[in-house]
C-alpha cells in the first residue's frame, strides 16, 4: 500500500509541473496586468515601460515562469504583482473559508443523497422513486447561478415580509455585531445557508442517483438473496448487507468531489461574495496577476491529486476484493 | 419507541434553531436599520480586498482605485477636496496663495488640523509627502507628474511654501493625500500601509486626520472606519462607525440593499438598478460623473486608411445617433444622460461647450458626402469608395453588457447610413494591453476616468504622445496644449483648452458619446448622504452621515 501511495505521489509531480507551466503561459499571454494603467491617460508610456521592466513583465514567459517557480518553492509562492503582498497567508485564509463551505455542503448532500437513494431503491417505481428521480434531473439541469439568484430573492424576501432575518445574501458573517460563541456560529450558519443549499442541489442529485443505482445492484445480488434466505429480518439485510456495500462507490465519488469542490464553487462564491477559493481566483484573474492565480492552481491541483488518491485508498479499505500492489 | 425518540429529538433541535434564528434576527426590511448596533452604517463596496489590494494611496500606480479613495477620504485628508459641483475646496488648508515667476504655492494649514495622536499637521508632513513621491525607490509605484516639477518644500509649521522648477498648472492635484511624517519617517512605503492606515511606531495604532480612523481591514470581507474620537479640524462624525463591505457582484449588491443587509451602495450603472427606484424605503440619486465613454478613430498606418480622410471621420460622426443611444442605454436609470458634446471638458465643469452639437445623426448628409466623393452604394446598402467598402472594425471590451448593447445600436444606425461596423470586441487586457498601444484598431470604444483637472487632454491629443492612441496630430493643438500645461492663470488655461476643444470638434479624432452616470442608493433612514460624482466619491462628507 505504502509503495502504491509513494508511486502515485511521484507520478503527480510531472503532472503538476506541466500543468503549472501551461496555466502560467495562458494566464501570462491572455491578460495584461498593466491594462488599468494603460487606460489612464495620466500615466506615461515611459512609466509603463519602467514598471514592465521592474516587474520582469518584459521578459519571455519561460523566464518569468522560472522566477515564479523559484518564489513558489523558496518563498511560499512569493508576493502579488502589485502591492507586494505575500500570497500564502491570503490563500490559507480563503482555504479555511472554503473548507467550511464545502464541508457543510458535502455532509448535507451526502446525508440527503444517501437517504433518498436508498429509499428510492427500496421503493423502486413507487411515487417517491419517480418524484425523486424527477427532482434529481431538475437538480442536474438547474444552473447554479440561477438557483443562487433565486434563493437570494425568494428566501430572503419571503422572511423579510414578516420582519424576520433568517438568511443573508452575501459574506460569511455580519459586518456589524457578528457576536461570539453560539451567536457567531448562528450568524455563520445564516450566511452559509443559501450558498450551501445552492451547492447541495447538484450534489444531492448526483449522490442520490449514484446511491440508488448502487443499492439496486446490491439488492439484486446473490449474497443479499442468501441473507434473506437465511431468515434475517429485512432491516438487518438492508442495513448490514446491502447498505454498507452499496456505499462503497459513493464514498469514492464524494472523495473525488471534495477535491474538485476545493477549487471553490466559483459561481456560488462569487454570487454570495464568499471570501473563499473561488472568489480569490476570480479576483486574481480580474487583476490579471498570474502569481496568485498560479498559487491557487497549485493548491487546487495538489488537493485534487490527494483526494483522488484518498478515493482510491478508501476503495481498497472498504472493498476487500481490491488489493494494491 | 427508539424511532419516536429520534423524531422528537430532531423536532426539538429544529425548533431550537428556528427560535434562535428568529430571536437573533433583529433585522427587517429596508425601512428599518439593518445594523443591529445603532450608529453603524454598512456600505456595499463594489471593489476591494483582492489579493493585489493595498491601502497606501500615495502609491498611486499600485493602490489608486476609486474605492480606496472612498474608504480613505474620511481618514487621510489632503490640501483640497473635490466637491459634488466639480470644484476644489480647501480641506486641510484654510487657503493657498499662488505666486508666479517662479511658481510658488503658499499653503496655510488649518490651525486645528491635527493627527489623531494629537500631533499637528504641519509643513513637515507636506515635505515628507513630496520626498516620498520623488524617492527613486518608489519611482515605479508613484506617478511623478507634477512632483518632479517641485524644487523645494519649505516650512515646518502651519505655513508651507512649495516652489516649482517650472510651471505646473495642475498643482491642485498635488498634496491630495498628506502622509504623517512623525509616524512614517523611516518606514518602507511599499509595505507599511498595505493593510492598515496606522502608526508603525505605536504598535500599528490607527492614525488619521479626518473624522474617522481605519480600524479594521479584513481582506476579502470589508473595511471598518471608527469615529476619530480625538477630534479633527472639522465637526465630529455623527456615526460611530462605517463598515464598507466588499460585495463585488452588482446583482448581489442590489439584493443586499433590497434585503436590508447594507444601508447604501454605489454600483456601476446596470439596467437591473432601475427596479430599485420603485422600492419603498430606498432613495436613488444619480448624476453624470467623470467617466466618459467615447469612440476613438485610428488615423495611423494600422487603422482603416479611409479614416485618415476628414470627410470620412465627419461622416462617421453623423452615423451615430448618440441621443438615441444614450436614451436606450441609460434612459430608465437616469433620463438626464445625453450625448457629450466636448472632448476636453465634461458636463458640469467650467468651460464645457456644445462643440460637437453641430454633428447630428444624418444618413442624408452622409449620402450626399459619399456621392460628392464618387462613392456608390452596394446591394447590401453599404457604400464603396474607390473600390474600398466603407466598413470599420469596431473594438471594445468583451463581457460588458452595456457596451455590447451600445455596439448593436451603433451598428444598426451606421448600417442605415451606409457604413458597416464589424464586431471586433476583445478582452479588456488585449484592448488596453496590445491593441490601443500598438494603434491596431479602426474604431475603439472605451471609457476614460478623468479628474477635474484637464491635464489628461494634453497626453490624449498631443502629436506623438504614447497615450494618443488615435495618432491624431494637429500642430496647433499640440502647441496650445503644451502652453495650457504651464499656464497658471486658470482663466487663460481654460481658454486654451476650450480653443482646442473647438478644433477637435472639426477634426473629429474621436466621437464623444456620454458621461456614465453614478448611482447612489441608500435607505431613507440614512441622512446626510450626498452623491459626489467626481473622483472623490460619496464619502467626502461622511462626518455628516447619520441614521435614524
Amino acid at each position: 500500500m505504502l509503495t502504491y501511495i509513494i508511486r502515485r505521489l511521484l507520478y503527480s509531480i510531472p503532472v503538476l509541473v506541466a500543468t503549472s507551466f501551461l496555466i502560467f503561459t495562458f494566464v501570462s499571454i491572455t491578460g495584461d496586468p498593466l491594462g488599468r494603467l494603460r487606460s489612464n491617460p495620466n500615466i506615461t508610456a515611459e512609466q509603463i515601460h519602467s514598471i514592465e521592466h521592474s516587474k520582469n513583465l518584459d521578459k519571455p514567459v519561460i523566464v518569468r515562469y522560472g522566477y515564479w517557480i523559484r518564489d513558489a518553492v523558496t518563498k511560499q509562492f512569493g508576493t502579488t504583482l502589485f502591492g507586494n503582498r505575500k500570497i500564502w497567508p491570503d490563500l490559507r485564509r480563503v482555504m479555511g473559508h472554503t473548507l467550511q463551505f464545502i464541508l457543510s455542503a458535502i455532509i448535507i448532500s451526502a446525508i440527503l443523497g444517501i437517504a433518498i437513494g436508498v429509499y428510492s431503491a427500496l421503493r423502486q417505481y413507487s411515487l417517491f422513486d419517480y418524484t425523486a428521480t424527477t427532482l434529481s434531473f431538475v437538480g442536474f439541469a438547474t444552473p447554479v447561478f440561477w438557483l443562487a439568484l433565486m434563493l437570494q430573492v425568494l428566501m430572503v424576501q419571503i422572511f423579510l415580509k414578516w420582519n424576520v432575518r433568517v438568511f443573508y445574501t452575501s459574506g460569511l458573517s455580519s459586518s456589524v455585531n457578528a457576536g461570539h460563541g453560539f451567536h457567531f456560529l448562528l450568524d455563520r450558519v445564516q450566511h452559509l445557508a443559501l450558498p450551501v443549499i445552492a451547492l447541495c442541489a447538484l450534489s444531492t442529485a448526483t449522490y442520490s442517483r449514484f446511491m440508488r443505482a448502487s443499492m439496486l445492484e446490491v439488492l439484486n445480488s446473490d449474497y443479499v438473496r442468501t441473507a434473506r434466505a437465511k431468515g434475517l429480518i429485512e432491516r438487518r439485510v438492508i442495513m448490514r448487507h446491502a447498505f454498507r456495500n452499496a456505499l462503497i462507490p459513493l464514498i469514492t465519488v464524494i472523495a473525488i468531489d471534495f477535491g474538485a469542490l476545493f477549487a471553490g464553487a466559483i459561481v456560488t462564491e462569487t454570487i454570495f461574495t464568499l471570501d473563499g477559493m473561488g472568489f480569490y481566483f476570480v479576483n486574481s484573474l480580474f487583476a490579471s496577476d498570474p502569481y496568485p492565480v498560479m498559487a491557487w492552481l497549485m493548491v487546487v491541483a495538489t488537493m485534487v491529486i490527494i483526494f483522488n488518491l484518498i478515493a482510491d485508498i478508501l476503495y481498497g479499505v472498504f472493498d476487500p476484493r481490491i488489493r494494491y500492489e | 419507541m427508539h424511532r419516536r425518540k429520534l423524531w422528537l429529538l430532531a423536532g426539538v433541535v429544529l425548533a431550537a434553531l428556528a427560535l434562535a434564528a428568529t430571536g437573533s434576527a433583529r433585522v427587517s426590511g429596508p425601512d428599518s436599520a439593518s445594523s443591529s448596533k445603532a450608529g453603524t452604517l454598512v456600505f456595499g463596496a463594489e471593489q476591494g480586498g483582492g489579493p493585489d489590494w493595498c491601502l497606501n494611496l500615495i502609491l498611486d500606480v499600485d493602490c489608486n482605485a476609486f474605492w480606496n479613495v472612498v474608504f480613505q477620504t474620511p481618514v487621510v485628508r489632503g490640501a483640497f477636496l473635490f466637491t459634488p459641483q466639480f470644484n476644489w475646496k480647501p480641506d486641510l488648508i484654510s487657503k493657498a496663495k499662488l505666486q508666479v515667476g517662479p511658481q510658488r504655492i503658499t499653503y496655510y494649514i488649518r490651525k486645528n488640523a491635527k493627527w489623531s495622536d494629537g500631533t499637528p499637521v504641519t509643513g513637515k508632513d507636506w515635505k515628507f509627502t513630496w520626498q516620498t513621491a520623488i524617492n527613486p525607490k518608489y519611482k515605479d509605484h508613484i506617478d511623478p507628474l507634477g512632483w518632479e516639477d517641485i524644487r523645494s518644500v519649505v516650512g515646518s509649521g502651519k505655513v508651507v511654501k512649495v516652489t516649482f522648477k517650472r510651471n505646473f498648472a495642475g498643482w491642485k492635484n498635488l498634496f491630495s493625500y498628506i502622509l504623517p511624517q512623525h509616524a512614517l519617517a523611516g518606514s518602507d512605503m511599499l509595505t507599511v500601509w498595505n493593510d492598515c492606515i496606522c502608526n508603525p511606531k505605536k504598535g500599528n495604532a490607527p492614525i488619521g486626520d479626518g473624522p474617522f480612523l481605519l480600524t479594521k481591514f479584513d481582506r476579502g470581507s470589508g473595511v471598518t472606519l471608527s469615529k476619530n474620537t480625538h477630534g479633527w479640524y472639522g465637526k465630529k462624525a455623527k456615526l460611530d462607525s462605517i463598515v464598507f463591505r466588499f460585495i463585488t457582484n452588482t446583482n448581489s449588491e442590489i439584493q443586499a440593499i433590497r434585503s436590508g443587509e447594507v444601508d447604501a451602495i454605489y454600483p456601476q450603472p446596470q439596467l437591473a438598478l432601475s427596479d430599485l427606484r420603485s422600492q419603498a424605503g430606498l432613495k436613488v440619486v444619480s448624476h453624470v460623473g467623470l467617466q466618459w465613454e467615447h469612440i476613438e478613430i485610428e488615423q495611423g498606418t494600422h487603422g482603416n486608411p479611409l479614416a485618415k480622410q476628414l470627410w470620412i471621420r465627419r461622416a462617421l460622426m453623423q452615423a451615430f445617433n448618440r441621443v438615441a443611444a444614450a436614451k436606450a442605454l441609460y434612459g430608465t436609470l437616469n433620463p438626464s444622460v445625453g450625448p457629450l458634446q466636448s472632448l476636453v471638458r465634461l458636463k458640469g465643469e467650467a468651460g464645457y461647450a456644445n462643440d460637437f452639437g453641430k454633428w447630428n445623426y444624418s444618413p442624408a448628409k452622409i449620402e450626399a458626402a459619399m456621392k460628392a466623393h464618387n462613392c456608390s452604394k452596394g446591394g447590401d446598402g453599404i457604400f464603396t469608395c474607390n473600390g474600398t467598402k466603407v466598413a470599420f472594425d469596431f473594438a471594445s471590451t468583451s463581457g460588458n453588457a452595456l457596451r455590447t448593447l451600445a455596439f448593436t445600436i451603433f451598428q444598426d444606425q451606421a448600417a442605415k447610413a451606409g457604413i458597416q461596423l464589424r464586431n471586433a470586441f476583445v478582452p479588456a487586457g488585449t484592448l488596453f494591453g496590445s491593441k490601443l498601444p500598438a494603434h491596431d484598431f479602426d474604431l475603439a470604444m472605451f471609457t476614460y476616468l478623468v479628474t477635474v483637472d484637464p491635464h489628461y487632454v494634453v497626453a490624449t491629443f498631443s502629436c506623438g504622445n504614447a497615450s494618443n492612441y488615435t495618432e491624431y496630430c494637429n500642430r496647433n493643438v499640440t502647441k496650445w496644449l503644451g502652453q495650457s500645461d504651464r499656464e497658471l492663470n486658470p482663466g487663460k488655461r481654460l481658454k486654451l483648452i476650450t480653443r482646442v476643444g473647438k478644433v477637435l470638434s472639426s477634426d473629429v479624432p474621436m466621437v464623444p458619446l456620454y458621461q456614465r452616470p453614478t448611482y447612489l442608493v441608500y435607505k431613507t433612514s440614512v441622512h446626510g448622504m450626498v452623491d459626489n460624482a467626481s473622483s472623490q466619491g460619496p464619502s467626502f462628507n461622511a462626518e455628516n452621515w447619520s441614521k435614524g
Side-chain angles (χ1 to χ4, degrees), chain B residues 41-243:
Chain B
L41 184 137
V42 185
F43 203 122
E46 231 176 31
Q47 275 186 321
D52 277 325
W53 199 267
C54 47
L55 290 172
N56 195 349
L57 276 171
I58 196 79
L59 306 175
D60 51 8
V61 170
D62 297 358
C63 317
N64 187 16
F66 169 75
W67 277 99
N68 237 350
V69 177
V70 176
F71 303 151
Q72 291 186 57
T73 296
V75 179
V76 181
R77 313 294 283 203
F80 292 96
L81 202 68
F82 286 127
T83 66
Q85 293 75 35
F86 296 166
N87 292 324
W88 301 98
K89 180 188 158 201
D91 189 18
L92 276 180
I93 56 171
S94 55
K95 63 176 177 180
K97 205 168 84 184
L98 168 70
Q99 292 167 284
V100 291
Q103 178 182 357
R104 174 180 288 167
I105 318 292
T106 308
Y107 294 95
Y108 297 88
I109 302 167
R110 290 179 193 271
K111 288 206 164 60
N112 51 357
K114 60 173 183 178
W115 296 102
S116 49
D117 56 10
T119 310
V121 177
T122 65
K124 285 181 190 168
D125 300 319
W126 249 252
K127 189 170 184 176
F128 178 71
T129 303
W130 169 60
Q131 284 172 335
T132 301
I134 57 163
N135 188 336
K137 185 180 172 188
Y138 309 128
K139 82 175 170 65
D140 290 332
H141 305 272
I142 299 175
D143 178 8
L145 180 74
W147 295 112
E148 58 193 8
D149 292 334
I150 295 175
R151 184 191 302 281
S152 65
V153 177
V154 178
S156 55
K158 289 288 186 182
V159 178
V160 56
K161 290 182 178 177
V162 177
T163 309
F164 287 76
K165 288 183 248 181
R166 55 180 189 158
N167 285 359
F168 178 64
W171 60 272
K172 282 186 178 173
N173 279 325
L174 302 173
F175 299 105
S176 60
Y177 192 69
I178 300 291
L179 301 171
Q181 182 265 343
H182 68 286
L184 296 183
S187 298
D188 180 3
M189 298 307 289
L190 297 181
T191 53
V192 68
W193 275 7
N194 267 0
D195 294 280
C196 66
I197 300 298
C198 54
N199 184 347
K201 292 171 184 163
K202 300 276 181 194
N204 284 343
I207 191 168
D209 53 0
F212 288 89
L213 298 176
L214 197 151
T215 47
K216 204 171 165 197
F217 174 44
D218 287 329
R219 200 171 284 272
S221 169
V223 171
T224 304
L225 308 186
S226 303
K227 186 197 280 195
N228 179 357
T229 50
H230 310 284
W232 67 302
Y233 83 76
K235 56 184 176 184
K236 275 198 175 176
K238 291 176 180 169
L239 290 169
D240 293 330
S241 58
I242 301 169
V243 177

Side-chain angles (χ1 to χ4, degrees), chain A residues 218-275:
Chain A
V218 173
L219 283 174
N220 292 320
S221 63
D222 290 342
Y223 61 86
V224 169
R225 203 171 297 124
T226 309
R228 280 187 178 130
K230 275 167 45 183
L232 290 177
I233 56 166
E234 188 63 11
R235 190 193 298 168
R236 179 160 290 192
V237 172
I238 301 294
M239 295 308 290
R240 187 158 290 180
H241 296 273
F243 177 67
R244 282 189 180 178
N245 288 309
L247 213 52
I248 297 169
L250 190 70
I251 287 170
T252 57
V253 169
I254 291 173
I256 292 169
D257 252 14
F258 195 88
L261 279 174
F262 203 80
I266 293 174
V267 175
T268 317
E269 286 188 2
T270 306
I271 291 175
F272 289 101
T273 325
L274 297 179
D275 181 29

Side-chain angles (χ1 to χ4, degrees), chain B residues 170-501:
Chain B
W171 60 272
K172 282 186 178 173
N173 279 325
L174 302 173
F175 299 105
S176 60
Y177 192 69
I178 300 291
L179 301 171
Q181 182 265 343
H182 68 286
L184 296 183
S187 298
D188 180 3
M189 298 307 289
L190 297 181
T191 53
V192 68
W193 275 7
N194 267 0
D195 294 280
C196 66
I197 300 298
C198 54
N199 184 347
K201 292 171 184 163
K202 300 276 181 194
N204 284 343
I207 191 168
D209 53 0
F212 288 89
L213 298 176
L214 197 151
T215 47
K216 204 171 165 197
F217 174 44
D218 287 329
R219 200 171 284 272
S221 169
V223 171
T224 304
L225 308 186
S226 303
K227 186 197 280 195
N228 179 357
T229 50
H230 310 284
W232 67 302
Y233 83 76
K235 56 184 176 184
K236 275 198 175 176
K238 291 176 180 169
L239 290 169
D240 293 330
S241 58
I242 301 169
V243 177
F244 288 102
R245 183 171 183 168
F246 305 143
I247 309 177
T248 51
N249 178 286
T250 311
N251 285 323
S252 304
E253 214 179 359
I254 292 168
Q255 194 49 43
I257 189 135
R258 275 189 146 164
S259 66
E261 284 173 51
V262 296
D263 298 300
I265 56 172
Y266 201 58
Q268 289 284 314
Q270 267 215 14
L271 295 173
L273 286 164
S274 55
D275 293 345
L276 292 178
R277 284 192 183 275
S278 55
Q279 173 134 4
L282 291 182
K283 189 168 181 183
V284 180
V285 184
S286 176
H287 293 100
V288 287
L290 293 182
Q291 292 188 40
W292 57 286
E293 196 87 351
H294 68 287
I295 301 168
E296 305 227 340
I297 307 172
E298 167 60 27
Q299 298 159 48
T301 48
H302 292 99
N304 190 322
L306 286 170
K308 283 185 181 171
Q309 301 173 61
L310 178 61
W311 73 270
I312 281 281
R313 295 204 299 277
R314 287 179 173 174
L316 270 172
M317 190 68 226
Q318 292 173 101
F320 300 126
N321 188 342
R322 298 176 299 143
V323 178
K327 197 174 171 189
L329 295 170
Y330 298 110
T332 52
L333 300 171
N334 185 334
S336 72
V337 176
L340 178 65
Q341 304 293 17
S342 170
L343 284 172
V344 294
R345 298 270 70 197
L346 302 182
K347 280 181 193 172
E349 292 179 338
Y352 176 75
N354 190 26
D355 296 332
F356 281 76
K358 59 191 171 197
W359 303 115
N360 293 315
Y361 179 62
S362 178
K365 282 184 183 168
I366 293 172
E367 186 151 0
M370 292 285 178
K371 281 184 179 159
H373 289 86
N374 297 322
C375 304
S376 57
K377 222 175 214 179
D380 56 356
I382 305 299
F383 284 105
T384 302
C385 302
N386 299 323
T388 309
K389 205 172 184 182
V390 186
F392 294 87
D393 287 336
F394 193 102
S396 192
T397 53
S398 51
N400 183 314
L402 273 175
R403 288 214 175 109
T404 308
L405 181 58
F407 170 70
T408 310
I409 293 167
F410 290 138
Q411 189 182 39
D412 180 57
Q413 292 170 350
K416 283 176 182 153
I419 296 173
Q420 188 182 37
L421 301 181
R422 292 180 295 239
N423 189 325
F425 278 43
V426 288
T430 311
L431 182 71
F432 296 117
S434 56
K435 288 225 164 250
L436 290 176
H439 313 287
D440 180 21
F441 63 95
D442 291 351
L443 306 175
M445 177 170 68
F446 61 96
T447 298
Y448 273 134
L449 169 58
V450 297
T451 59
V452 173
D453 190 88
H455 170 79
Y456 70 90
V457 178
V458 181
T460 311
F461 297 107
S462 293
C463 298
N465 194 299
S467 299
N468 178 354
Y469 298 130
T470 61
E471 297 186 88
Y472 162 75
C473 185
N474 180 320
R475 298 285 161 203
N476 281 333
V477 164
T478 305
K479 186 177 82 183
W480 294 331
L481 287 174
Q483 288 170 358
S484 79
D485 225 15
R486 303 289 162 205
E487 177 56 63
L488 297 178
N489 183 316
K492 286 182 183 170
R493 186 182 183 210
L494 199 59
K495 245 183 194 169
L496 286 163
I497 295 283
T498 50
R499 193 193 290 176
V500 167

